[in-house]
Amino acid sequence: ETGVTQTPRHLVMGMTNKKSLKCEQHLGHNAMYWYKQSAKKPLELMFVYNFKEQTENNSVPSRFSPECPNSSHLFLHLHTLQPEDSALYLCASSQGTGGWETQYFGPGTRLLVL
Amino acid sequence: GQQVMQIPQYQHVQEGEDFTTYCNSSTTLSNIQWYKQRPGGHPVFLIQLVKSGEVKKQKRLTFQFGEAKKNSSLHITATQTTDVGTYFCAGESGGSNYKLTFGKGTLLTVNP
């Protein structure tokens, strides 16, 4: 499945580094999402964008900064992360943000913060 | 806020045995979706249920939405090793503030 792509697939960074995660969807969708998936925790919704506008910020720390330049691309800028931020970061897209919409997930970026 | 609970958290079966995972919501759901995540993979949409009491089948998988639209189940008949993975339910309670809430998932392992 190549509808939603994410790069990089793996990332190791120190707490003082700055890095960015990239997501691209080729499905013509209008909504894009960032989720965090940690071991033994449910999928945590971080941000929602609809038509490039942020519609949801789920109390995410400011060390995570999203950017959505257009409906096909979504970035997650990372700086001064903590070890507990190590997780799988999943991007998803859907046609709209209605609760009936099916979400299509990318393969994820597995992040390790040292 | 809305909570979606799934049980069991883990289930190990012998190949050929049946498997069921249950999803319960603290609020009435407008719809429920099921996703499967293979080990090392990402969640993939399986199905959506909308109507009260709805039952849908996909080969050996049977999905059910409760009459009160607050619970759902996924039943797999005669499991195979390809069924291994984590099964998530996700529900949305409707209203003006959209939020699709995922359960913690049930990890299914199958012994060949």
Side-chain angles (χ1 to χ4, degrees):
Chain A
E1 298 170 17
T2 58
V4 182
T5 57
Q6 287 186 245
T7 54
R9 296 292 306 276
H10 301 271
L11 179 62
V12 180
M13 60 187 289
M15 289 190 283
T16 58
N17 292 156
K18 287 185 180 181
K19 296 287 183 183
S20 295
L21 310 185
K22 179 183 176 181
C23 175
E24 184 174 358
Q25 58 96 0
H26 312 272
L27 301 169
H29 290 165
N30 298 312
M32 296 188 77
Y33 311 79
W34 279 117
Y35 285 88
K36 176 183 178 183
Q37 188 175 40
S38 306
K40 300 181 180 180
K41 282 189 175 182
L43 278 167
E44 299 174 64
L45 178 66
M46 300 175 72
F47 302 103
V48 181
Y49 278 83
N50 194 29
F51 291 99
K52 304 189 300 179
E53 299 298 321
Q54 188 181 120
T55 59
E56 180 96 13
N57 177 341
N58 207 20
S59 303
V60 180
S62 59
R63 56 186 184 270
F64 295 92
S65 175
E67 179 190 359
C68 188
N70 55 61
S71 293
S72 299
H73 294 85
L74 186 64
F75 296 89
L76 188 62
H77 303 300
L78 317 171
H79 65 98
T80 58
L81 294 193
Q82 305 298 312
E84 60 264 29
D85 297 322
S86 299
L88 179 67
Y89 288 85
L90 290 160
C91 173
S93 72
S94 62
Q95 187 60 47
T97 56
W100 59 89
E101 303 281 358
T102 298
Q103 295 194 10
Y104 295 81
F105 286 83
T109 295
R110 191 160 294 281
L111 173 66
L112 177 62
V113 181
L114 300 176
Chain B
Q2 178 187 334
Q3 292 185 24
V4 175
M5 292 149 287
Q6 255 185 281
I7 55 169
Q9 194 172 352
Y10 307 98
Q11 183 76 60
H12 179 74
V13 300
Q14 287 291 127
E15 190 171 22
E17 292 181 340
D18 292 356
F19 159 76
T20 305
T21 174
Y22 300 90
C23 184
N24 293 288
S25 170
S26 56
T27 58
T28 302
L29 301 170
S30 62
N31 77 97
I32 194 151
Q33 301 178 27
W34 285 91
Y35 292 77
K36 176 184 178 181
Q37 184 174 17
R38 294 181 187 275
H42 58 277
V44 175
F45 173 77
L46 293 177
I47 209 159
Q48 182 182 53
L49 303 171
V50 178
K51 299 176 183 176
S52 168
E54 189 171 12
V55 178
K56 286 188 177 180
K57 291 191 175 185
Q58 288 180 350
K59 298 183 181 178
R60 294 177 294 102
L61 277 61
T62 301
F63 303 84
Q64 197 163 8
F65 203 7
E67 293 290 340
K69 300 182 76 172
K70 295 180 76 172
N71 58 74
S72 180
S73 65
L74 158 59
H75 180 81
I76 302 179
T77 304
T79 54
Q80 299 175 0
T81 54
T82 53
D83 295 325
V84 165
T86 301
Y87 293 85
F88 293 96
C89 63
E92 193 259 341
S93 58
S96 58
N97 294 321
Y98 155 80
K99 185 176 281 189
L100 189 66
T101 303
F102 282 81
K104 281 191 175 184
T106 297
L107 172 60
L108 171 66
T109 54
V110 180
N111 203 29

